[in-house]
């Protein structure tokens, strides 16, 4: 029953709301595939829209959500019109449903072979290339992989409990501002959890799988504007299966959520430009603004994506081709790329005017949402424009001559680097992160990967030049997208003088160049298939279609087997997908559950490691070193976190000598005694014997054969308790 309710909740927030809003905003007749795509694209802003009344009134529950959905349904009905004839706009859906029924004949029907084979091929390739790997990396315990997932899902849990977005939350031992920069992601998750009856781990995992499947659909829709259906599907599989993209979907992360919105915004922009429709481009701009409030870093990818789409539309490719070939004849092969129902929406204005309106709408929507949501303050943190405060004065900042974000990073993860200058960020991360664009491709430098992309572009140009303009616009957009992402990563790396915002370029943005690589590979495969079909037609007239189908199947199969986790089993999937870093172990999870039941509600727990939000999420207690890493928060908070981390490290190395320096807010001490127990983040070294003999520490409980120890801090105690 829980699975059914979770499924209905996910279908509502990822589908039904978008379908209603899509009919209200775009009531004209659309083909079934486009109606389905726009429904999925608008589902997130629609869910946010219908959740807003409950959010404002503090009643973010099923009644308020249902009432808002009813209002949206009435608006949709009004937009469609009350006359029965207006329902003809839904005729494509009825026709498609009837076609499905007709393809289930009472006796064998040859017409059913082709659709059945295509459905089988799509399902099989999706399972082998993407879905199976995500199933295999799921943990048998039901606990999610990674550590930051606990922080992000706890935001959803707290929103569900408060029936609204809270103003503050407890982390790092005190009250901190609630992170509004993930508002869209958090609100959508909370609305889904409310409908499902709670934000449990089962819903978390199902939510993640929904995002994987929707990522495939969104990538397919984007590539479908430039490629025929099968090769667009291949490009979608290559996109979501790439390790740099797949890692975002291994656990619940706002970055994956934001990527879905970015892909859908690109699809809507392409549709709007094709139709010369300001309405469609405005919807694309709204999706872009939602992506900003889902995850700001991945939203940056929408800038080169939009620029590439606009630029490729602006270049008169057909005119250039005619000038080069000296012919005015057009080769009518564009119908192999674009779906037939494009003609349902005739152009309503000039392309230049539509492009200008799209750009203006994007800037206005993003700017307005940034201002309303305090985005300006977040940007000032990112840019390092904060003014020093008394708490962050130079005399109390550890290592004042060193970049403070690097100092905090070293304190949390690599104390040997304390006091040392940060590395050359761009070179360091390019060497490490850009080496493996795919599991089957080991490239030692970004330059070699750019060289491969240029080679693919040359092949596309050569093939497109001979066989007409089809795909040339897509190839240009894909090439510009890859170039734009590389330039954006370099710009971010060069624009900032601090380690953490600087590394966002090569570590977080640069890996998305694989989007362009996936598109180029599929484009080359498609053009090679066309070349093979033309050659086959010369050898044997009438064999063009057969040769094309066979060549497409063989080439796409070769790409998928080579580049995706089709083979290799669990170990290959883990290598391809699992995020770098620890995950919360079952022992720690059970210990946190025990704390939830047994410890006082005002307990403050100091663990021998930075736990990234897992203590608060599971135990409901405050962790002294628990929550988001405040690299880009206020200088005062960042300095406080650095001092707290260094104090904790000194305490665990010599508990007896440093107990007096422990903050008075700390009531309990948690120690993972072995690397086999992950507490949800980094782990600090400790002196085991001193813990049991230190005055002021009373041993409370051991978990899993003393792999995890819990002590109570007793102020003014004369001696510790043995254990």
């Amino acid at each position: 029953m829980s699975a059914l309710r979770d499924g209905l909740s996910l279908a509502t927030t990822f589908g039904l709301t978008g379908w209603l809003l899509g009919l209200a905003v775009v009531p004209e007749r659309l083909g079934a595939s486009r109606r389905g795509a726009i429904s999925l694209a608008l589902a997130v802003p629609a869910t946010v829209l219908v959740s807003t009344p409950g959010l404002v009134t503090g009643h973010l529950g099923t009644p308020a959500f249902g009432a808002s959905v009813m209002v949206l349904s009435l608006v949709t009905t009004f937009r469609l019109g009350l006359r029965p004839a207006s329902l003809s706009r839904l005729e494509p859906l009825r026709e498609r449903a009837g076609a499905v029924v007709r393809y289930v004949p009472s006796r064998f029907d040859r017409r059913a072979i082709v659709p059945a084979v295509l459905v089988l091929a799509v399902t099989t390739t999706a399972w082998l290339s993407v879905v199976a790997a995500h199933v295999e990396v799921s943990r048998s315990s039901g606990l999610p992989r990674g550590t930051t997932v606990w922080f992000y899902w706890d935001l959803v849990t707290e929103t569900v409990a408060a029936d609204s977005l809270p103003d503050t939350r407890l982390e790092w031992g005190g009250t901190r501002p609630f992170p509004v920069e993930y508002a869209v992601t958090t609100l959508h998750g909370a609305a889904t959890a409310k409908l499902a009856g709670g934000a449990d781990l089962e819903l978390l995992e199902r939510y993640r799988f929904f995002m994987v499947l929707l990522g495939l659909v969104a990538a397919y829709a984007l590539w479908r504007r430039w490629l025929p259906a099968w090769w667009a599907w291949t490009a979608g599989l290559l996109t979501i299966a790439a390790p740099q993209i797949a890692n975002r979907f291994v656990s619940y992360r706002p970055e994956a959520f934001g990527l879905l919105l970015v892909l859908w915004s690109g699809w809507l922009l392409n549709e709007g430009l094709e139709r010369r429709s300001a309405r469609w481009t405005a919807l694309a701009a709204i999706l872009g603004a939602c992506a900003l409030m889902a995850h700001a870093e991945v939203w940056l990818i929408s800038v080169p994506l939009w620029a590439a789409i606009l630029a490729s539309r602006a270049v008169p490719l057909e005119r250039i081709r005619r000038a080069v070939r000296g012919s005015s004849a057009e080769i009518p092969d564009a119908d192999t790329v674009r779906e037939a129902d494009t003609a349902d929406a005739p152009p309503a204005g000039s392309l230049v005017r539509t492009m200008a309106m799209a750009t203006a709408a994007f800037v206005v929507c993003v700017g307005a949402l940034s201002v309303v949501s305090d985005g300006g303050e977040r940007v000032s943190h990112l840019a390092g424009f904060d003014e020093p405060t008394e708490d962050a004065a130079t005399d109390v900042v550890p290592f004042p001559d060193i970049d403070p974000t690097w100092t905090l990073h070293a304190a949390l993860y690599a104390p040997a680097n304390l006091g040392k200058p940060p590395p050359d960020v761009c070179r360091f991360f390019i060497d490490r992160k850009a080496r493996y664009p795919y599991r089957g491709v080991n490239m030692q430098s970004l330059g070699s990967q750019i060289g491969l992309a240029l080679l693919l572009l040359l092949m596309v140009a050569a093939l497109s030049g001979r066989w007409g303009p089809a795909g040339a616009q897509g190839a240009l957009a894909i090439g510009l997208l890859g170039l734009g992402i590389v330039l954006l990563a370099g710009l971010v790396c060069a624009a900032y003088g601090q380690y953490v915002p600087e590394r966002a370029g090569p570590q977080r943005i640069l890996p998305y160049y694989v989007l362009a690589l996936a598109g180029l590979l599929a484009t080359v495969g498609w053009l090679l298939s066309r070349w093979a079909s033309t050659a086959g037609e010369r050898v044997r007239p009438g064999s063009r279609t057969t040769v094309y189908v066979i060549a497409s199947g063989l080439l796409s199969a070769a790409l998928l087997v080579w580049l995706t986790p089709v083979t290799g089993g669990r170990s290959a999937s883990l290598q391809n997908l699992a995020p770098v870093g620890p995950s919360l172990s079952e022992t720690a999870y059970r210990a946190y559950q025990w704390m939830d039941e047994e410890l006082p509600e005002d307990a403050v727990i100091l663990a021998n490691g930075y736990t990234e939000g897992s203590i608060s999420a599971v135990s409901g207690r405050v962790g002294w070193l628990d929550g988001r890493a405040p690299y880009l928060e206020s200088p005062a908070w960042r300095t406080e976190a650095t001092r707290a981390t260094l104090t904790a490290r000194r305490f665990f190395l010599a508990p007896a000598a440093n107990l007096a320096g422990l903050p008075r807010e700390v009531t309990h001490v948690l120690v993972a005694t072995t690397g086999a127990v992950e507490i949800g983040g980094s782990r600090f070294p400790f002196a085991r014997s001193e813990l049991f003999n230190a005055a002021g520490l009373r041993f409370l409980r051991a978990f899993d054969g003393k792999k995890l120890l819990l002590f109570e801090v007793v102020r003014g105690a004369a001696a510790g308790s043995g254990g």
Side-chain angles (χ1 to χ4, degrees):
M1 193 66 181
S2 173
L4 176 61
R5 184 170 182 177
D6 287 354
L8 291 174
S9 302
L10 290 164
T12 299
T13 58
F14 276 115
L16 175 62
T17 55
W19 183 68
L20 292 173
L21 182 61
L23 286 173
V25 178
V26 187
E28 57 263 29
R29 179 189 176 103
L30 293 176
S33 60
R34 270 188 174 77
R35 178 59 67 188
I38 196 173
S39 300
L40 294 175
L42 297 181
V44 171
T47 299
V48 172
L49 177 65
V50 298
S51 300
T52 299
L55 181 71
V56 173
T57 60
H59 295 85
L60 185 63
T62 303
F65 188 91
S68 299
V69 170
M70 289 298 298
V71 172
L72 180 59
S73 301
L74 292 175
V75 173
T76 301
T77 303
F78 176 78
R79 287 284 288 161
L80 289 174
L82 300 178
R83 302 183 306 277
S86 66
L87 296 179
S88 63
R89 293 163 181 164
L90 302 180
E91 189 63 31
L93 296 178
R94 292 203 294 265
E95 292 176 357
R96 185 62 58 89
V100 172
V101 173
R102 287 194 298 273
Y103 275 127
V104 185
S106 57
R107 56 189 176 84
F108 179 77
D109 189 345
R110 291 183 179 180
R111 292 177 302 171
I113 295 178
V114 173
V117 170
L118 287 176
V119 170
L120 179 62
V122 167
T123 304
T124 303
T125 53
W127 175 263
L128 294 176
S129 300
V130 175
V131 180
H134 284 275
V135 172
E136 289 174 357
V137 300
S138 297
R139 302 171 68 185
S140 58
S141 62
L143 300 179
R145 288 195 174 273
T147 53
T148 56
V149 57
W150 296 104
F151 170 75
Y152 294 129
W153 193 245
D154 197 29
L155 300 181
V156 173
T157 304
E158 291 180 355
T159 302
V160 169
D163 275 333
S164 180
L165 288 176
D167 295 325
T168 60
R169 70 186 309 270
L170 294 174
E171 54 181 311
W172 283 93
T175 302
R176 309 294 180 181
F178 193 85
V180 297
E181 57 266 36
Y182 308 119
V184 168
T185 308
T186 301
L187 186 55
H188 187 277
T192 306
K194 274 289 188 180
L195 294 177
D200 54 25
L201 295 183
E202 288 79 8
L203 175 63
L204 169 61
E205 188 69 0
R206 289 163 185 152
Y207 195 102
R208 179 180 78 86
F209 270 99
F210 241 74
M211 289 202 297
V212 172
L213 297 176
L214 291 176
L216 272 175
V217 176
Y220 166 78
L222 179 64
W223 298 126
R224 186 65 181 91
R225 293 304 311 163
W226 300 309
L227 294 168
W230 178 253
W231 283 106
W233 178 247
T234 302
L237 293 173
L238 291 174
T239 299
I240 303 301
Q244 293 96 326
I245 305 298
N247 283 344
R248 274 68 174 172
F249 290 90
V250 168
S251 60
Y252 171 81
R253 297 174 66 177
E255 193 171 357
F257 195 89
L259 179 60
L260 295 181
L261 299 179
V262 168
L263 295 176
W264 281 124
S265 74
W267 176 78
L268 283 169
L269 175 63
N270 249 328
E271 287 286 330
L273 296 176
E274 184 75 20
R275 298 164 180 271
R276 311 295 194 266
S277 170
R279 192 187 337 164
W280 283 72
T281 54
L283 292 175
I286 292 173
L287 260 291
C290 288
L292 173 64
M293 297 309 299
H295 195 278
E297 285 178 350
V298 76
W299 166 82
L300 290 173
I301 304 301
S302 63
V303 177
L305 176 60
W306 273 55
I309 292 173
L310 292 171
S312 66
R313 291 275 181 173
V315 175
L317 292 173
E318 180 60 24
R319 189 177 305 171
I320 294 173
R321 189 187 68 85
R322 290 176 186 173
V324 172
R325 292 174 58 88
S327 171
S328 60
E330 296 187 15
I331 299 177
D333 55 4
D335 59 336
T336 63
V337 180
R338 298 183 177 88
E339 297 180 33
D341 64 350
T342 301
D344 294 337
S350 71
L351 177 61
V352 174
R353 184 177 64 185
T354 306
M355 292 170 65
M357 294 178 67
T359 305
F362 183 80
V363 173
V364 170
C365 289
V366 170
L369 194 56
S370 297
V371 172
V372 170
S373 63
D374 250 351
E377 181 181 353
R378 304 296 307 171
V379 171
S380 69
H381 289 324
L382 181 64
F385 295 149
D386 302 284
E387 293 294 331
T389 63
E390 291 184 4
D391 290 337
T394 308
D395 59 331
V396 296
V397 175
F399 308 102
D401 297 329
I402 304 297
D403 172 8
T405 64
W406 168 250
T407 299
L408 176 56
H409 182 273
L412 292 174
Y413 299 107
N417 292 328
L418 287 167
K420 299 179 181 179
D424 183 344
V425 172
C426 293
R427 172 58 54 191
F428 178 71
F429 281 106
I430 285 176
D431 288 345
R432 291 185 60 196
K433 299 292 182 181
R435 189 171 296 172
Y436 300 97
Y438 285 99
R439 182 178 61 88
V441 179
N442 180 359
M443 307 180 94
Q444 297 301 313
S445 69
L446 178 64
S448 59
Q449 296 176 43
I450 294 177
L452 173 61
L454 291 175
L455 177 62
L456 292 173
L457 274 175
L458 289 174
M459 294 177 65
V460 168
L463 294 171
S464 297
R466 184 173 180 181
W467 282 283
Q473 183 188 89
L476 178 60
I478 293 166
L480 291 175
L481 172 62
L483 178 62
I485 290 175
V486 173
L487 292 177
L488 177 64
L491 178 63
V492 170
C493 190
Y496 297 103
Q498 293 184 330
Y499 172 77
V500 170
E502 194 178 46
R503 71 174 181 171
Q507 185 184 21
R508 306 295 292 273
I509 296 174
L510 180 60
Y512 283 106
Y513 81 93
V514 78
L515 291 170
L517 193 58
L520 284 173
L521 287 168
T523 302
V524 170
W526 166 50
L527 293 174
L528 286 175
S529 300
R530 294 185 61 207
W531 173 82
S533 67
T534 302
E537 181 71 16
R538 293 196 187 110
V539 175
R540 184 177 180 180
S543 64
R544 177 188 294 268
T545 301
T546 302
V547 174
Y548 176 79
V549 170
I550 294 174
S552 295
L554 292 176
L555 286 171
S556 63
L559 283 173
L560 295 177
V561 170
W562 177 35
L563 300 177
T564 67
V566 173
T567 59
R570 183 175 179 81
S571 60
S573 299
L574 286 170
Q575 180 184 3
N576 194 69
L577 296 182
V580 177
S583 299
L584 185 68
S585 67
E586 294 182 53
T587 298
Y589 181 74
R590 289 194 298 268
Y592 293 166
Q593 288 183 312
W594 182 89
M595 295 177 195
D596 183 29
E597 298 174 356
E598 302 296 335
L599 294 188
E601 292 186 0
D602 60 350
V604 177
I605 302 164
L606 171 63
N608 66 325
Y610 166 49
T611 50
E612 301 191 27
S614 57
I615 289 180
S616 173
V618 183
S619 73
R621 305 300 182 265
V622 180
W624 189 250
L625 306 179
D626 187 63
R628 76 196 104 164
Y631 297 120
L632 305 180
E633 305 298 333
S634 67
W637 183 1
R638 185 172 57 220
T639 301
E640 180 184 344
T642 304
R643 292 201 303 263
T645 305
L646 294 176
T647 299
R649 283 189 177 275
R650 286 193 296 267
F651 165 75
F652 283 108
L653 288 175
N658 295 308
L659 185 62
L662 207 60
R664 295 196 62 83
E665 294 86 349
V666 174
T667 61
H668 294 80
V669 173
L670 181 70
V671 182
T673 63
T674 172
V677 175
E678 297 290 355
I679 56 177
S682 62
R683 192 167 64 89
F684 303 162
F686 68 101
R688 182 187 184 110
S689 59
E690 290 194 28
L691 285 170
F692 286 100
N693 298 321
L697 287 182
R698 183 170 68 87
F699 174 69
L700 274 186
R701 184 180 173 87
F703 301 90
D704 196 7
K706 294 190 177 181
K707 292 180 180 178
L708 193 62
L709 306 175
L710 181 64
F711 297 85
E712 181 181 7
V713 179
V714 182
R715 305 293 176 181
S721 300

